[in-house]
Amino acid sequence: MKNIFKLFLSSIAALMIMFSNAQSDSIRIGTEGAYPPWNSKDASGNLIGFEVELAKELCAIMKHDCTIVEQDWDGMIPGLIMRKFDAIMAGMSITDERLKTINFSRGYADEVASLGVMKGSSLEGMDTPESINLSKGNSKVLKTLTAALAGKTVGVQTATIHQNFLESGDVGKINIRTYKTQDEVNLDLVAGRIDVALAAAVAFTDYAEKSGKPVVLVGPTFAGGAFGNGVGVGIRKDDTKLLKDFNRAIKTASKKGIISKLAIKHFGFDASM
Amino acid sequence: MELMIESFPRLLNATLLTVELTLLSLFFGIFVGVFFAILRTSKSKILYYLSYYYSYVFRGTPLLVQIFIIYFGLGQVEWIRESFLWLVLKEPYSCAILAFTLNTGAYSSEIFRSAFETINKGVLEAAKGLGLNKINTFFKIKLPIAIKQSLPAYGNEMVLMLKGTSLASTVTLLDLTGVAKHIISTTFKPIEVFIVAGSIYLLMTFIIHNVIKILEKKYNY
């Protein structure tokens, strides 16, 4: 009995040493790894994408060691607050709602949202301008959208600006289904369980290109308002030094054209800001 | 604390769906379970192995994998989408019920099988001696004994199923866990919300536990 007790104690001690080693001085950057082309994983499970490469560049500028940590999207902000990592680079738009809980660096890339449907959908050919900014008055476009989306089932990833917009009532009361990842949204769009989905425009075009499925964009692209002001690095409110470091690094990277180059490589156009 | 009070009514509302999923799955699961338990006592090798492998596969794989295969997996197959099966498989609600029913059915079949096996041969011979036919023996003798024998284990299975329904949130259903996650997605405060949701699950477990206790007393002879 005594021996078993000793074994128990020593295994606890061993576990504690293991966990304490896992904590190091390097900056841990959380990303989802499931939102291509922003961030995703290759066939062998390595994190890849625009933000993974940008994170490495920014860390090089800051002369910091960095480790990139994978985190499910719906636990991203709680994970940051609970210090599982120190910064978020996961296609996360800077919104007023999130700013209540965490800080954001200056934006490093613009994200425009769009509706995606399967080719042949009744929503194709919707009569709207190419893009709208929700910070300005757009009541006419929103009315067109409300009429078009009435009775439709809309899929969206949970805890996103896209979900917030759909639930805001700007496009009326619609049937919303929320998914854990954008991959699942795409799967159900193809399966026909949802009529239309809302996400970053590049999330649809990237999926259409890679899967060969006829997913197309309809309606206007959205920016401003609930869609926030670009994508930035999420940082804890009390971590002001890290915020300064990231701001400076982003400024430098932007000046040197590093962000533009990476954006063109991953998005096909210059999404830097 | 404020958030806990604020989220309580919404979570309670979502509990309705959790209860609905649990009760419906258990209800259908009993029939599936009894059916496959009877097959297991069959003398036909085919029927025996059909039941054996059904329970082997569904008890040997995680419920999450099962619900994903049924919902996302089958949804990818074009001929299924064009067949009448799509009527059931299109909706997340019916997919969840199907997955839960097949899962609890597998566990129940094992519980009922072992309960049937505990029936003393002497009892059956006595029934034969009294001139009861096969159907009467089954409903008047075998089934009541099997129910009594399987109650404690089945109560356990009910609790497991209740907790298993939390996976409905992975296929877009807004059950108790689904709504809890939804609230967290805008408040970023998982601990408070999950404490409330967890307490509601605990309360439901408590109710199941006591119902089984009462039934055990009733069937105790």
Side-chain angles (χ1 to χ4, degrees):
Chain A
M1 195 60 213
K2 223 176 179 181
N3 278 336
I4 292 175
F5 188 64
K6 267 186 197 161
L7 185 70
F8 179 70
L9 278 186
S10 49
S11 44
I12 286 185
L15 274 175
M16 281 164 82
I17 291 166
M18 264 167 63
F19 282 124
S20 60
N21 275 357
Q23 293 247 351
S24 66
D25 295 337
S26 77
I27 302 174
R28 294 159 302 167
I29 299 175
T31 199
E32 186 193 3
Y35 202 60
W38 291 87
N39 56 75
S40 59
K41 273 187 284 186
D42 65 12
S44 45
N46 300 313
L47 288 162
I48 53 165
F50 170 69
E51 283 167 321
V52 177
E53 285 182 38
L54 179 60
K56 282 176 193 151
E57 295 282 354
L58 294 179
C59 291
I61 294 170
M62 294 189 283
K63 297 196 177 72
H64 257 310
D65 272 342
C66 287
T67 34
I68 298 183
V69 189
E70 203 184 320
Q71 166 68 50
D72 280 347
W73 174 256
D74 54 6
M76 197 63 81
I77 290 178
L80 177 73
I81 293 166
M82 284 180 249
R83 298 177 181 273
K84 283 167 83 176
F85 40 83
D86 310 300
I88 298 172
M89 288 181 77
M92 189 177 274
S93 299
I94 306 164
T95 64
D96 292 340
E97 191 175 42
R98 288 176 181 142
L99 279 168
K100 282 183 210 154
T101 316
I102 59 170
N103 255 335
F104 277 100
S105 73
R106 56 190 293 153
Y108 54 77
D110 245 331
E111 192 199 57
V112 291
S114 173
L115 294 167
V117 295
M118 295 306 284
K119 219 180 181 128
S121 155
S122 62
L123 288 172
E124 266 184 289
M126 205 190 296
D127 182 27
T128 56
E130 222 166 83
S131 63
I132 59 170
N133 186 321
L134 287 166
S135 303
K136 296 161 192 154
N138 283 292
S139 54
K140 204 178 143 222
V141 184
L142 290 177
K143 232 178 224 163
T144 314
L145 281 168
T146 308
L149 292 176
K152 296 268 190 284
T153 305
V154 191
V156 70
Q157 188 181 5
T158 185
T160 54
I161 47 175
H162 315 106
Q163 184 191 359
N164 289 349
F165 171 69
L166 291 174
E167 286 177 354
S168 69
D170 277 0
V171 285
K173 227 177 138 38
I174 39 180
N175 191 4
I176 304 166
R177 290 215 187 131
T178 52
Y179 295 82
K180 206 169 158 61
T181 65
Q182 180 61 30
D183 270 345
E184 293 176 359
V185 178
N186 293 336
L187 284 177
D188 262 9
L189 185 63
V190 172
R193 285 201 183 100
I194 49 178
D195 304 307
V196 50
L198 181 66
V202 285
F204 294 120
T205 48
D206 187 80
Y207 177 73
E209 190 185 309
K210 283 185 186 141
S211 67
K213 301 276 197 273
V215 177
V216 292
L217 304 178
V218 293
T221 57
F222 303 88
F227 290 95
N229 301 300
V231 172
V233 183
I235 293 162
R236 278 184 298 274
K237 287 224 162 169
D238 53 7
D239 233 346
T240 45
K241 190 187 167 294
L242 191 62
L243 180 69
K244 257 185 219 151
D245 287 352
F246 263 111
N247 275 337
R248 217 174 295 139
I250 291 167
K251 210 169 180 180
T252 312
S254 170
K255 234 184 248 162
K256 282 187 180 163
I258 295 172
I259 302 181
S260 307
K261 213 179 77 200
L262 285 178
I264 290 167
K265 176 180 166 192
H266 290 279
F267 300 124
F269 57 92
D270 188 357
S272 69
M273 50 190 292
Chain B
M1 193 64 208
E2 204 177 300
L3 177 64
M4 288 166 118
I5 296 164
E6 252 171 51
S7 58
F8 187 67
R10 282 177 71 190
L11 290 170
L12 212 53
N13 200 20
T15 308
L16 280 178
L17 181 62
T18 292
V19 171
E20 207 178 299
L21 287 170
T22 311
L23 291 182
L24 277 177
S25 306
L26 286 172
F27 176 75
F28 293 130
I30 285 180
F31 291 101
V32 174
V34 170
F35 177 72
F36 280 99
I38 294 170
L39 288 196
R40 275 297 266 286
T41 61
S42 160
K43 288 196 180 79
S44 151
K45 272 254 147 53
I46 298 172
L47 293 181
Y48 174 87
Y49 278 111
L50 184 76
S51 166
Y52 177 82
Y53 282 111
Y54 160 70
S55 122
Y56 186 78
V57 168
F58 278 91
R59 291 189 312 144
T61 51
L63 180 53
L64 178 65
V65 171
Q66 291 162 17
I67 196 167
F68 264 45
I69 288 179
I70 289 174
Y71 186 82
F72 287 112
L74 296 183
Q76 297 309 298
V77 187
E78 210 156 297
W79 64 262
I80 289 181
R81 291 210 300 267
E82 279 153 15
S83 72
F84 68 96
L85 289 172
W86 195 236
L87 286 176
V88 176
L89 294 173
K90 188 179 180 194
E91 293 306 318
Y93 184 80
S94 40
C95 280
I97 296 270
L98 181 66
F100 296 154
T101 299
L102 288 173
N103 186 274
T104 186
Y107 282 97
S108 310
S109 79
E110 291 291 329
I111 294 169
F112 299 149
R113 175 190 62 87
S114 65
F116 280 126
E117 277 172 4
T118 58
I119 297 172
N120 198 318
K121 268 217 173 105
V123 175
L124 297 179
E125 275 165 16
K128 223 179 194 176
L130 286 170
L132 289 175
N133 63 16
K134 263 193 167 170
I135 292 169
N136 267 330
T137 311
F138 181 79
F139 282 105
K140 295 255 157 73
I141 312 284
K142 278 178 156 182
L143 204 57
I145 296 176
I147 288 175
K148 174 186 182 276
Q149 293 291 349
S150 52
L151 265 178
Y154 192 70
N156 219 358
E157 172 56 23
M158 286 169 82
V159 171
L160 285 175
M161 196 63 253
L162 169 72
K163 292 184 287 182
T165 58
S166 64
L167 292 174
S169 64
T170 61
V171 291
T172 76
L173 289 178
L174 290 172
D175 70 326
L176 181 49
T177 305
V179 168
K181 282 182 179 166
H182 188 258
I183 296 173
I184 293 162
S185 78
T186 50
T187 59
F188 314 117
K189 292 198 170 95
I191 298 169
E192 290 88 337
V193 179
F194 275 140
I195 284 177
V196 178
S199 312
I200 297 176
Y201 276 114
L202 206 59
L203 180 72
M204 288 192 283
T205 311
F206 175 80
I207 294 170
I208 293 176
H209 188 81
N210 280 293
V211 168
I212 291 292
K213 244 187 183 168
I214 292 167
L215 284 178
E216 270 180 47
K217 253 190 199 146
K218 199 185 151 203
Y219 276 95
N220 203 356
Y221 45 80

